[in-house]
Each structure stands twice: as structure tokens, then as C-alpha cells.
Amino acid sequence: MKLSSLKGGIHPEDNKYAEAGVIRRPRILEGDEFFIPFSQHIGAPAECAVVKGQRVRTGERLAKAVSGISAPVHSPADGIITAIVKVPHPVLGAAEGCILKASGLEDGYMELEDKGDLAEMVKAAGVVGLGGAGFPAWVKIGGVRRADTLLINASECEPYLTCDYSLMLNYPEEILKGVKFLKDYINAQDAFIAVESNKKKAAAILSGLAPSYGAEVVVVPAKYPQGGEKQLISTVLSRTVPQGRLPIDIGVLIHNVATVRAIYEAVEKRKPLFERPLTVSGLVENPCNIMARTGMTAAVLFRETQNLYDGGKRLIFGGPMTGFEVTGPEMPVLKTTGGILQLERAEEKEPGPCIRCGRCVEACVMGLVPVDLERAYSAGNINMMIELNAASCIECGCCSYVCPAGRPLAQAIKTGKKRAAFAAAKRRGG
């Protein structure tokens, strides 16, 4: 297959220290507390379905999906609900949720009822996009009968993270069964699994098995942000997703590789999504991959991986390019948490004046002019941001990464993009 070249992008140090192939499972001790937000996805938060003092089992539904775009939340352990309150949230700061005190006893999980239909099973399991976006998977799958191509994103281009790579090495057949479930369900003609070239072992294993499941592995160049949906579709399929449109509008259904395995587990094992693989790495003694339960705190994960939390360093949930700095180790894992990283704090320096070097323009995969967008934002000119197509920014951070003057381009554009979207919506409303 002839691949298109990703225009723009960068080659940051990959720093993939965590050994791929080994996924540790944490112990759950009696008395361990889980802080479980009911908002772990794009869309409306789930609605509480338990009461204080209720004893629950692993996999039991704690919060139900509401109408529209939403997803249920399930218990990560056997235990007792000790409070229904606002709990820490790595993105929102705090969100409605519950606190679960674990019993320390584990006896499997509460299986889902067989819904028959794949989209309904995926919805009941609470599967969302595990690549970081958190879009409820059932919404993307449900009603999709016009996609000619299924594309699986196994690029994992963020530095440090190796949890998807580990999944591919440990569970290749489960991933491929999930691919076949999806391909058959949407009646797709083709199914491609895009693996970056720095994951040769995974590409080889999947390539040997893929034909039996009606899929093909495509090795794409290792470059950030190759894993962006629009960028991967362009590279693998040479198709362009128009501004303001979705991949499905051009006949493509795209899912992250970890999401596909979760779909397999929901359908084949009737398993709700209450755990996910993530990478613990950065400035730690033992970088590794771990199958973390949702609601489990960073402090527990450090305990389980024999690492120490250093309050003088930055604690990042996600990858270093698109993740969020959190206030401390009490923050819980969400369905969308692909990494917990401890990194040095950058030396605080005043950004210098733009030297018109053009590096931000060369790095932008969306063909934008980041420096002009930043100027428009700084001037409070939201109309100019709209004209400069701020809505197309995928918030990858490449522009800030390459800026020799240290200007906060990505931060300004991200904030201005939200204001521009609000202004545009208000304008459409009259």
C-alpha cells in the first residue's frame, strides 16, 4: 500500500522507557479508596445509580448513561460506597462521583447482560475512546452502516507511552477479534491497523494473524502527531476529512487499538470497562505498564510500581504533549488516562518576541499559521481567530514545542479556539 506523507509534525525524543510487553496488575488491598467521577467521557455525565452504604461488586454499574451522548460507569472493585460527593478529576478539577472503599476480596466481575446487538453491548459496558478523546464508542458504532473502511489507530505517537504497544504484544488475537466484530457489524470492505515503524515486533505479530480476521497491518512512519485521526486517515487512505466534518462522512470508522480490545471484552467476555492499560514513566525508578482500575489514584499506582512521588516535579496525566498537569497524587485514573508521568519542571522564562522563523508554520499538521492565531488571541480579536481557522487546530502542541522564543502558542490557540467556537455558535443562534 502506498502511504501519503504526514505534512508538518515533529520528532520529539520518544523516551519510551517502560518495557513493552509486560503489563502488571495492581493489588487491591482492603481499605483502598477509589475516587470515581461519573464524567469519564465526552458528553453528559452519567447519573448516579447507587446509594451511600451500598455494597457493590467489581463491574457493577455505579452510574447510568443519560440521554444523548453519555456512557455508564462501573465499579472497579468489590467494596462499599462510602460517599456520593464531588471527587478529584484530572481535567475538571472536581466532578460529581462516589468514593468506594475496597474489601480487598476479588471474585471476578459482574457480567453484562447479553444485549445481542454489538453497539448495545458496547454501550452497556461503558466503552469510550481509550486513545484520550473519550468519545462514547457506541455513538460512533451505532447506526453506522455506510463506512467502507475500518481504520484502527495503533500508532501511539506520544512520547513515553508504551501501553498500547504492550497490548498488541500481549493480546494480538483479542484485538483482531475486536476488529472483526466491528468490520462485520458495519459491513466494511476493508480493515487496516496502522502501527508506527518503531513498533516492529507488534507489527510482525499482528501481520501474521491479521489475514485470518480480514484485516491488514499498515506500518506508518514514526512521527508526532501521526496518531491524530485526520492525519492517520490522510497517511493510510489518502483521504481528507473536510473541516467541520467527521471521518464517517468520508466512509471511515476509526478507533484506537485499546478501544477495540475493550469492545472485544464487552462482546465476548461481557466485561464492563473498569480498567485500562497505562504507562507509569518519566523521572521514576521503575517505568512500567500497568492494568489500572478506574478510580485508582496515582499514589496507589506509585505504591504498586515501587516508585516515589516527588512533589517538586510535574505530575502529568496522559502524554507530555497533550496531557494535563495535576495537583497531586490523589488524582484518580479515568477511562481516558493513558499515562502517569513525573517530569521536571521547565525553567520559568519570559517568552521572547517572535523572530518570524516560520518553524511553527512548518510544524503545523493542519496548515495553520500559529503565530498569527496567537497574535489575534492576544489582541482579543476573536473574529480574526475564526477567519484564521482556529477551529481546525487539533491541539497537538507542535507549535509551542518548536518555537525558539518559547512563546505559548498552543495554550493561546487552545483557549482562543474555545472562545471562537462560543462566538461562532452565538452568531449562528442569532
Side-chain angles (χ1 to χ4, degrees):
M1 173 182 285
K2 184 177 181 181
L3 303 178
S4 298
S5 176
L6 174 65
K7 295 180 180 178
I10 56 177
H11 289 92
E13 290 292 325
D14 65 16
N15 295 323
K16 293 185 181 284
Y17 307 129
E19 181 185 355
V22 177
I23 303 180
R24 299 173 57 170
R25 287 192 172 273
R27 297 167 300 158
I28 297 177
L29 305 180
E30 182 178 0
D32 275 351
E33 285 191 318
F34 292 76
F35 299 87
I36 308 160
F38 295 153
S39 181
Q40 300 192 38
H41 50 270
I42 289 175
E47 183 180 285
C48 184
V50 291
V51 296
K52 181 180 177 180
Q54 182 174 338
R55 185 173 293 277
V56 295
R57 286 191 58 203
T58 303
E60 186 169 345
R61 191 178 67 173
L62 303 179
K64 60 185 178 181
V66 298
S67 60
I69 298 175
S70 188
V73 175
H74 298 83
S75 178
D78 292 355
I80 296 176
I81 303 297
T82 59
I84 297 173
V85 291
K86 283 198 170 184
V87 297
H89 192 290
V91 181
L92 304 174
E96 293 297 329
C98 67
I99 301 174
L100 169 71
K101 181 170 284 189
S103 65
L105 302 175
E106 286 294 308
D107 184 25
Y109 56 85
M110 184 177 288
E111 293 187 5
L112 301 165
E113 293 182 13
D114 187 357
K115 303 288 184 180
D117 181 77
L118 182 141
E120 287 299 318
M121 286 295 293
V122 169
K123 180 178 182 179
V127 179
V128 305
L130 300 185
F135 196 83
W138 70 270
V139 178
K140 291 177 79 170
I141 299 167
V144 174
R145 297 290 180 181
R146 63 188 185 280
D148 59 76
T149 303
L150 173 64
L151 180 59
I152 307 305
N153 184 353
S155 57
E156 197 170 42
C157 58
E158 273 266 19
Y160 291 97
L161 306 188
T162 59
C163 52
D164 282 356
Y165 190 11
S166 292
L167 273 186
M168 289 184 274
L169 295 177
N170 280 278
Y171 306 104
E173 292 209 67
E174 293 189 1
I175 290 167
L176 287 164
K177 285 178 181 177
V179 171
K180 187 160 189 345
F181 287 158
L182 284 173
K183 184 184 178 186
D184 291 347
Y185 186 76
I186 66 172
N187 296 315
Q189 298 171 13
D190 299 299
F192 300 106
I193 304 171
V195 183
E196 275 198 330
S197 57
N198 57 1
K199 302 171 184 65
K200 291 182 172 61
K201 189 173 180 181
I205 291 171
L206 289 169
S207 293
L209 298 169
S212 299
Y213 296 91
E216 179 182 344
V217 173
V218 179
V219 178
V220 298
K223 191 176 188 182
Y224 180 84
Q226 186 71 261
E229 282 193 347
K230 294 183 178 181
Q231 287 65 48
L232 201 62
I233 289 170
S234 175
T235 296
V236 177
L237 304 175
S238 298
R239 300 186 198 178
T240 300
V241 181
Q243 181 186 346
R245 306 298 291 274
L246 299 171
I248 195 61
D249 295 323
I250 60 167
V252 181
L253 176 64
I254 182 167
H255 273 296
N256 167 267
V257 67
T259 310
V260 171
R261 179 175 178 261
I263 289 171
Y264 156 79
E265 290 196 307
V267 176
E268 188 82 0
K269 298 182 178 181
R270 299 186 189 178
K271 181 181 176 180
L273 180 59
F274 56 80
E275 62 181 1
R276 64 146 301 139
L278 60 77
T279 301
V280 177
S281 191
L283 298 171
V284 296
E285 290 295 321
N286 303 296
C288 61
N289 291 297
I290 190 164
M291 191 65 75
R293 304 286 180 99
T294 54
M296 186 173 276
T297 65
V300 171
L301 290 175
F302 277 126
R303 177 193 79 193
E304 285 304 298
T305 57
Q306 292 80 53
N307 287 302
L308 294 177
Y309 168 68
D310 184 342
K313 295 187 169 52
R314 299 171 66 213
L315 188 61
I316 305 293
F317 269 45
M321 300 298 292
T322 59
F324 299 86
E325 182 173 359
V326 300
T327 54
E330 73 283 352
M331 281 295 170
V333 169
L334 305 183
K335 296 178 183 181
T336 53
T337 308
I340 294 180
L341 310 178
Q342 194 161 247
L343 303 175
E344 287 285 9
R345 292 193 176 279
E347 182 183 349
E348 293 289 339
K349 294 190 299 185
E350 283 294 318
C354 173
I355 62 173
R356 305 297 292 180
C357 64
R359 293 182 191 175
C360 62
V361 180
E362 293 174 359
C364 182
V365 294
M366 297 306 297
L368 304 178
V369 184
V371 63
D372 287 350
L373 282 162
E374 186 214 19
R375 283 201 176 111
Y377 170 74
S378 298
N381 194 338
I382 300 303
N383 288 332
M384 180 59 72
M385 293 205 74
I386 295 172
E387 291 178 19
L388 291 171
N389 203 14
S392 290
C393 173
I394 65 170
E395 303 176 15
C396 63
C398 287
C399 53
S400 291
Y401 185 88
V402 300
C403 179
R407 300 195 63 78
L409 299 169
Q411 180 181 343
I413 297 168
K414 183 176 181 178
T415 305
K417 173 184 169 182
K418 292 178 180 176
R419 294 182 182 176
F422 178 77
K426 190 174 182 181
R427 186 180 300 169
R428 286 194 300 271

